[in-house]
Every structure is written in C-alpha cells, then in structure tokens.
Amino acid sequence: MSENRNLIEVKNLKKYFGKVKGIIKRKVEYVKAVDDVTFHIKKGETFGLVGESGCGKSTTGRTIIRLYEPTAGQIIYDGTDISTLSSRELLKYRKKMQMIFQDPYASLNTRMTVADIIGESLDIHKLASGKERQEKINNLLQSVGLSKDHASRYPHEFSGGQRQRIGIARALAVDPEFIICDEPISALDVSIQAQVVNMLEDFQEERGLTYLFIAHDLSMVKHISNRVGVMYLGSLVEVAEKNELYSKPTHPYTQALLSAIPVPDPDIAEESKRVILTGDVPSPINPPSGCKFRTRCQYVKPICSEEVPELKDIGGGHYVACHVVNN
Amino acid sequence: MTQKLLEVKNLRTSFFTHLGEVKAIRGISFHVNEGEAIGIVGESGSGKSVSSLSVMRLLQFPGKIVGGEVLFKGENLVNKPKKEMMKIRGNEIAMIFQDPMTSLNPVFTVGNQIMEVILKHQKITKTEAKEKAIEMLKLVGIPSPEKRIKNYPHEFSGGMRQRAMVAIALSCEPDLLIADEPTTALDVTIQAQILDLIKGLNTKLGTSTILITHDLGVVADVCSRIVVMYGGLIMEEGTKREIFYEPRHPYTMGLLKSIPKVASDTKTRLVPIVGTPPDLLKPPTGCPFFARCDYAMNICREKQPPYFTINEGHRAMCWLLHDEAPKNELYDSQKGGVRSV
C-alpha cells in the first residue's frame, strides 16, 4: 500500500513557547514542547504518534502543518522545505495538507452552516463556485455518511459522531494528500469510534491518503497505523513498525506505556504484569538533563543524566533513544 | 461473603425538562455483594452515571427518582430524609467523580477538604483529623504528604488530584465506593496507577466497589461482575468471564467487536455498531437496541423483552433467547465474545 517515497520528512524540529516574565516582559523561560524531533512519513502510510498528554504530540502535528511557527528545524514536504515559506507560498501546500481536530464540539464554527464550513476551503482555494460548489459539498456529505439535507443545518443540530464526520468532510474538501488526525476519536463513544476509524481507513484506500494519526489510545493507534512513534516530554523515544513496537517494545517508557493499556479480555488482563510508573511527567520548562525519562526509569544509570541519548537504529527501522539499550 | 450490601430494585429516574420527561433510567435492578467489585458499562447517555447519582440521592432539579427502591444494608434510601442521607454519604457510601479538575474546591487546601469529611462524620479533634488526612494521602501514594496537605488543588497534577479525591472518598472507611469514570480524564500510565489503587482497596480492605466506565478494558481488570447498560435499561448482567467470553446480548457482542484487539498481530477491520443511541425523550416501546441490532425481529419493535436467565447470575434482555426465537447462525458465531473473530 505504501510507496517507498518519503512524503514528509521532519528534521530536528523544535518548537519552544516563550514565557514572559517581569515588568519589561522579557522572555526568560521556554516551554520546550517539541525538542529536536526527527522522523519521516512515507507516502500512503499511516504514522501513529503516541504519548501522554503534554508530551508534545499535538504540537508536533500543528507545527508540521505550520499552525505554529517552528523554532528550529526543517519540515520537508515532498522534497520542498516548507518551514520557511511565506504565507502566500504556503497556501499551495495548505491545500495538500489538512487537519482533523480532536474536539468536534469546538472545531466547528457554530454560526456557520455545514455547507459553509465545508465550502470555506473551496472558496479560499478557488476550487469551485456556484452549482459546482453545491454539488461538491453534497458529494462530500454523502461520502461521510450524511445526507445533502444536512447541508443547511448548523453544528449544534448534530451528535458528536456526526460532527466529526463534518470535520472529516471539511478536511477532504480540497482533495489533500496528507491529513493530520489529531485525536479524532477521543471525544467519541466506543461504538462510534469504530465507525469513524473505518471511514478514515476507507478514504485512505480510495484516495491514497497519508495520515499522521495522533492519539493517546494505544490500541486504536496499533489498529490504524503502519509505523508508530512514541513521544515523551517533547522527544521521540522510540519509532518502529507497529507489530515490532507492540511485540518488542525496547525503550523502558514504551514498555511501561504498553503494559498500562487496559486489555478488554479478563484472562490476559489477569495474567499480564504491569510496569507501573511512579510519579508524574516532569515539567517541560525544566526537563531533566540527559535522558528526560531518567527520573521515572527503573534501569537508570549514571550516563543517563549526563548525555542526551540519540535515536539509533537497532535493526529493521526500529529506532530507540536509550543509553541502556544502545550500549 | 454473599451478603447483599446494596440492592437496587426496579429503579426509575426521570428528568423533567421543558421538552418533556426524559426517562434516563427505566427500571433497573442490580445488587452489590459485600466485598465485591462490579462494573457498570455503557455509552454516554445510557444512564450509568444517573443510576449512581440516584443511589447517592445526589440528583439535582429537574432530575427525580420516580419509582423503585435502593436498599443499602436493608434500608431503603429513596425516602430517607435529607439529614439521614448526609450521615450516609461520605461515611458509608463514598463517591469518586469523573473530572478531578472540577470536583475539588479550588479555594480550600487539599488537606482542608479531606479533613472536612472526617470532622463531619467522626467525633475527633482537628489535630487528629489532620493526622488522619496525612495518613490518607500517604495511603493513596502522594509523596511528602505533610507538605502536600497545605497545597491547593491547582498545585496538584491531574493524577494527584484524582488521588486526593480517592483519599477524600476513603477517609471515613466507607462500605461502598462508587467510582464514576475515575480515570477517563487521565493518561494511561496514571490510569494504571489509579486502577491499581482502587483494585488494592477492594482486595485488601474489602471495600465494595461500583466502577462506572465506558472502557471495557478497565472493567476486565478490576471487576468480578459486569452490568451492561443501554438506553436506560440493563441489557445484560453476568460475571466478567460470562460477559467477555459468552455474551448473549447483541449489544454486548457489538461493543466487544467494535474495540481493536491489542493482542493480535493481524489487522482485522473493526465492526462498528451502526446508528446512534435512542432519544430517551421518546424511548422506543420495544427493545431500545432495536434500531441498531443486526438480529432484530418484529417483536423487538413492539414489545420490550423480559430478562432471560442463562445461568444463575447471568441474564440478558433479548428476545433472541426466547425458546421460539428463530436460530440465527450469525448470532451463534458471536457467542464466543472477544474470542470469536
């Protein structure tokens, strides 16, 4: 399904948010939301990005699409570095990259009809007008399982699952190549989640889409992704093909994260031994020196506080950033 | 150990809104034995939270219990005067709410909020209460509790706030703990910590627990018996193994099919339940699951099915279990629950 060409290459991406302090409002502290992240996404594949809240997975997604300006690093889309393009030059790429947001209640403008929500991007990119626009909107609504009668309604008239479908229709309106799905199913009920995930898979097959799937639901990420990256406190700690990652997690954090998934099968749930992490995620303003996970890691060694571990290939495209594993 | 601590009999709760009566709970019966942990599973709007609020008598206007009984230690709570209810709440039945960010009072210190419960229900001095509060925080695994007791909720992280909630709930050693989606707002690693805590309290202290959740994975670990709710009714009830491995209700089967399986390496397509839950303003006359059911028959639309008992303790509300129901191969193939693919 996936070709070998890289559609997205992210190189040493950094996104710091400055915190203003004092009377003269100097920026003194930085929240290092994304700190030196490197990965690539092949054309036609789904790359899953997992991690706890506050680990920078959403910020990574938003920086790639340049909703946030990157502090440093490169974002290469199909061979072109888009991290420094002006907003006019970027417009061309915005048409190729779209986003589906987490909260279907907050991401749709309540004062616009569904037709206008979906049609807005058609207007901006001057893709269709008049009857053609209407027809396109109707087709999109039908393809996400809504009817064309819904076009004149407002978002409050829809349920959560239906709103997420509208969000998907909006993303598909401009015929994108790449879609960032930022927790698209977390706000939905279990039985509705499967409907939305199946729809995303169908569209990928039909249109050859590439997805960056951001989620904290590890079992759903395993289901939908080809490769998965695990983030902790702004850094990627492990990247691997999904079956490899879920069967042979190597980084201590990945191991703990995977063992924490509640398994919906009593026999397995009772047998499995949990690696329970103690404490909370440290503050991204003053992250621990060296390996950021060392404060919660059970295998911690002296070197962990001195050097930042590099993301190294341990074979077969399985990358791990850990001193204990790499030595 | 088979003494019934809580028994809910044919409970009905409605919300009287300006649009009409929303029948949130339409006659549910279940019980909790002493020392037992049961799980109530269902989607949003299935009535699982309203049933716990009804048990606690915490319903606010326009919600009202319109029928049925809630027997706690043999006493009916439905008609108890407010004052007596206050003695039971927090003391004998305690509750943990979903959102730790909003259920703690931001203007009081965490220690203050734990002490409040203890001072209310026990005749002890303030210093003793403070010691007890520190002890509780230690029990739920908060480091340096002597200092933390002076913190305000905003100084705690999400997981710590939920721990503080657990500490408040347990400070009077309740007989029954109701946890309403205690981990929904938390990350998986923190969720594992909290679930471990609740499970430990159940096994070590013997606190009976009702765990309300939409996550089947959570109940698979913690609970011994599971109640599946849908459209204000209990669809199926049974032991954990019966629900996961021998489900008899199409809704339970559907729920199990719609979640991805972490254990398998092969990719199988998810099987969603089509459609959306019923509108309880106009609840369907027949089975609430009728419109979304793959095996629906004519009678399902017309008449609400009674409970059919499969084993002792395992019952389901579905016409397919009637002797005269036609054989359905598709239905039979799903009888293995999570193990049938």
Side-chain angles (χ1 to χ4, degrees):
Chain A
M1 193 164 60
S2 58
E3 296 167 38
N4 261 335
R5 190 158 59 97
N6 288 349
L7 186 71
I8 299 271
E9 273 177 78
V10 176
K11 286 185 181 164
N12 304 93
L13 187 71
K14 287 180 187 172
K15 175 65 196 170
Y16 296 172
F17 292 99
K19 198 177 173 188
V20 183
K21 262 197 175 174
I23 304 169
I24 50 169
K25 308 220 161 144
R26 261 191 317 181
K27 284 188 182 175
V28 284
E29 280 179 335
Y30 288 96
V31 175
K32 295 176 179 173
V34 179
D35 200 7
D36 209 352
V37 164
T38 304
F39 64 92
H40 64 272
I41 306 173
K42 290 185 192 131
K43 193 163 170 40
E45 80 167 349
T46 302
F47 186 81
L49 206 52
V50 293
E52 294 174 85
S53 45
C55 72
K57 51 191 194 305
S58 288
T59 311
T60 308
R62 289 177 173 218
T63 314
I64 289 175
I65 211 164
R66 284 200 51 200
L67 284 177
Y68 293 144
E69 287 305 312
T71 308
Q74 289 181 305
I75 304 152
I76 297 163
Y77 184 90
D78 219 358
T80 324
D81 185 358
I82 59 163
S83 58
T84 51
L85 292 184
S86 69
S87 59
R88 183 171 298 185
E89 289 169 312
L90 196 63
L91 196 63
K92 203 171 90 192
Y93 289 93
R94 283 264 159 84
K95 189 167 117 22
K96 296 181 180 175
M97 299 187 286
Q98 285 292 316
M99 193 151 181
I100 299 166
F101 296 92
Q102 170 170 11
D103 187 352
Y105 293 87
S107 61
L108 302 177
N109 189 335
T110 47
R111 294 186 166 201
M112 284 165 87
T113 62
V114 169
D116 287 335
I117 289 170
I118 298 172
E120 195 179 16
S121 53
L122 295 174
D123 299 343
I124 290 169
H125 294 286
K126 302 193 178 69
L127 292 175
S129 59
K131 252 193 180 153
E132 201 189 338
R133 177 179 183 264
Q134 197 57 49
E135 209 163 279
K136 214 160 180 176
I137 290 166
N138 290 347
N139 287 343
L140 280 164
L141 280 174
Q142 265 160 20
S143 64
V144 294
L146 298 170
S147 83
K148 64 178 183 203
D149 308 335
H150 290 128
S152 55
R153 295 199 196 165
Y154 288 90
H156 74 263
E157 298 174 64
F158 295 92
S159 68
Q162 285 175 318
R163 281 184 218 206
Q164 203 55 297
R165 286 160 192 266
I166 296 168
I168 294 171
R170 171 174 65 182
L172 291 172
V174 291
D175 267 327
E177 297 172 338
F178 175 59
I179 296 182
I180 295 178
C181 311
D182 188 0
E183 308 239 15
I185 51 163
S186 340
L188 306 176
D189 264 317
V190 202
S191 70
I192 311 292
Q193 284 186 356
Q195 293 177 8
V196 172
V197 165
N198 279 350
M199 185 184 292
L200 288 173
E201 286 181 338
D202 288 344
F203 284 128
Q204 181 166 45
E205 208 152 288
E206 268 169 42
R207 302 170 180 229
L209 295 170
T210 306
Y211 288 138
L212 173 63
F213 194 88
I214 301 166
H216 62 263
D217 181 345
L218 293 145
S219 40
M220 205 51 107
V221 168
K222 183 185 179 192
H223 174 82
I224 198 168
S225 312
N226 301 102
R227 285 188 309 128
V228 179
V230 182
M231 277 187 87
Y232 184 76
L233 218 56
S235 307
L236 267 176
V237 296
E238 190 162 359
V239 183
E241 197 271 321
K242 73 163 173 201
N243 286 339
E244 168 94 4
L245 186 88
Y246 280 76
S247 59
K248 281 179 245 154
T250 313
H251 196 282
Y253 177 64
T254 317
Q255 289 172 355
L257 198 63
L258 291 182
S259 80
I261 310 176
V263 191
D265 189 327
D267 283 347
I268 301 175
E270 277 168 19
E271 273 172 29
S272 66
K273 281 217 174 81
R274 286 223 172 113
V275 185
I276 296 211
L277 289 180
T278 48
D280 290 301
V281 186
S283 153
I285 295 174
N286 270 319
S289 64
C291 174
K292 288 173 181 164
F293 185 60
R294 70 179 164 86
T295 49
R296 297 168 87 190
C297 183
Q298 51 176 332
Y299 309 105
V300 66
K301 283 182 177 176
I303 188 177
C304 299
S305 59
E306 288 152 18
E307 271 178 55
V308 179
E310 258 181 80
L311 201 61
K312 276 188 193 161
D313 195 344
I314 58 162
H318 188 157
Y319 295 87
V320 186
C322 177
H323 290 302
V324 182
V325 177
N326 289 340
N327 291 329
Chain B
M1 283 286 270
T2 46
Q3 195 78 30
K4 280 179 188 168
L5 181 70
L6 178 83
E7 193 174 8
V8 174
K9 279 185 183 166
N10 203 18
L11 183 72
R12 284 180 293 125
T13 302
S14 290
F15 288 85
F16 296 90
T17 66
H18 63 279
L19 292 170
E21 182 185 354
V22 178
K23 292 173 181 148
I25 302 181
R26 304 190 284 143
I28 59 165
S29 305
F30 66 92
H31 68 274
V32 186
N33 291 333
E34 266 177 34
E36 188 185 37
I38 76 158
I40 300 181
V41 211
E43 293 176 69
S44 37
S46 62
K48 52 192 196 308
S49 289
V50 176
S51 50
S52 69
L53 290 175
S54 303
V55 169
M56 287 288 263
R57 293 266 313 276
L58 282 174
L59 286 169
Q60 280 180 342
F61 181 80
K64 217 180 151 202
I65 297 175
V66 286
E69 290 179 340
V70 177
L71 299 173
F72 180 69
K73 292 180 176 170
E75 279 180 82
N76 192 355
L77 299 186
V78 172
N79 301 318
K80 273 238 180 283
K82 241 184 177 173
K83 262 196 174 159
E84 282 183 48
M85 236 8 251
M86 280 167 86
K87 276 186 195 156
I88 293 174
R89 268 186 226 135
N91 197 16
E92 294 179 60
I93 310 178
M95 193 156 175
I96 306 170
F97 297 92
Q98 173 171 3
D99 192 353
M101 313 290 162
T102 53
S103 42
L104 287 169
N105 191 335
V107 299
F108 289 103
T109 62
V110 172
N112 228 317
Q113 295 183 52
I114 302 175
M115 281 160 63
E116 185 189 350
V117 192
I118 302 170
L119 288 170
K120 178 114 201 156
H121 293 295
Q122 292 173 7
K123 284 203 173 75
I124 51 174
T125 63
K126 262 193 165 169
T127 16
E128 281 171 324
K130 196 179 165 190
E131 268 167 36
K132 177 107 203 224
I134 292 172
E135 193 189 304
M136 289 318 296
L137 280 182
K138 202 184 254 169
L139 180 80
V140 295
I142 288 183
S144 51
E146 300 83 5
K147 278 185 211 155
R148 284 301 191 167
I149 202 163
K150 292 182 199 124
N151 284 164
Y152 287 89
H154 75 265
E155 294 170 275
F156 275 34
S157 70
M160 283 165 72
R161 276 181 237 189
Q162 198 59 293
R163 278 158 193 279
M165 282 296 293
V166 178
I168 293 172
L170 294 174
S171 54
C172 285
E173 289 149 30
D175 299 312
L176 178 66
L177 177 68
I178 302 177
D180 187 0
E181 305 251 11
T183 58
T184 309
L186 306 173
D187 279 311
V188 270
T189 54
I190 311 294
Q191 166 170 289
Q193 291 173 7
I194 299 287
L195 288 180
D196 231 45
L197 184 67
I198 293 176
K199 200 178 164 186
L201 293 167
N202 177 244
T203 46
K204 279 175 214 149
L205 301 182
T207 315
S208 305
T209 310
I210 301 179
L211 184 68
I212 296 166
T213 179
H214 65 269
D215 189 337
L216 286 158
V218 168
V219 285
D221 189 18
V222 179
C223 305
S224 57
R225 240 159 16 91
I226 296 171
V227 170
V228 182
M229 281 192 75
Y230 185 80
L233 291 167
I234 292 175
M235 293 285 107
E236 188 167 1
E237 184 188 347
T239 64
K240 171 163 74 179
R241 291 210 151 63
E242 281 163 350
I243 295 292
F244 278 96
Y245 300 139
E246 297 155 30
R248 286 294 174 268
H249 198 286
Y251 177 63
T252 317
M253 294 172 174
L255 271 187
L256 292 172
K257 271 193 291 180
S258 67
I259 44 175
K261 287 157 197 69
V262 193
S264 74
D265 270 1
T266 48
K267 187 165 179 164
T268 44
R269 200 174 155 80
L270 299 177
V271 188
I273 304 176
V274 289
T276 44
D279 179 5
L280 292 176
L281 203 56
K282 299 183 282 285
T285 41
C287 172
F289 191 55
F290 167 74
R292 303 172 81 186
C293 184
D294 292 340
Y295 319 105
M297 301 176 287
N298 278 334
I299 189 166
C300 303
R301 183 184 17 220
E302 289 152 17
K303 224 173 148 191
Q304 186 176 315
Y307 285 106
F308 292 94
T309 310
I310 296 118
N311 286 320
E312 204 197 325
H314 185 188
R315 59 184 179 132
M317 182 188 270
C318 181
W319 282 117
L320 285 167
L321 298 166
H322 194 273
D323 293 335
E324 287 169 33
K327 281 271 169 231
N328 192 326
E329 278 172 30
L330 201 64
Y331 172 74
D332 287 334
S333 73
Q334 296 303 326
K335 280 187 178 171
V338 280
R339 282 176 177 162
S340 62
V341 177

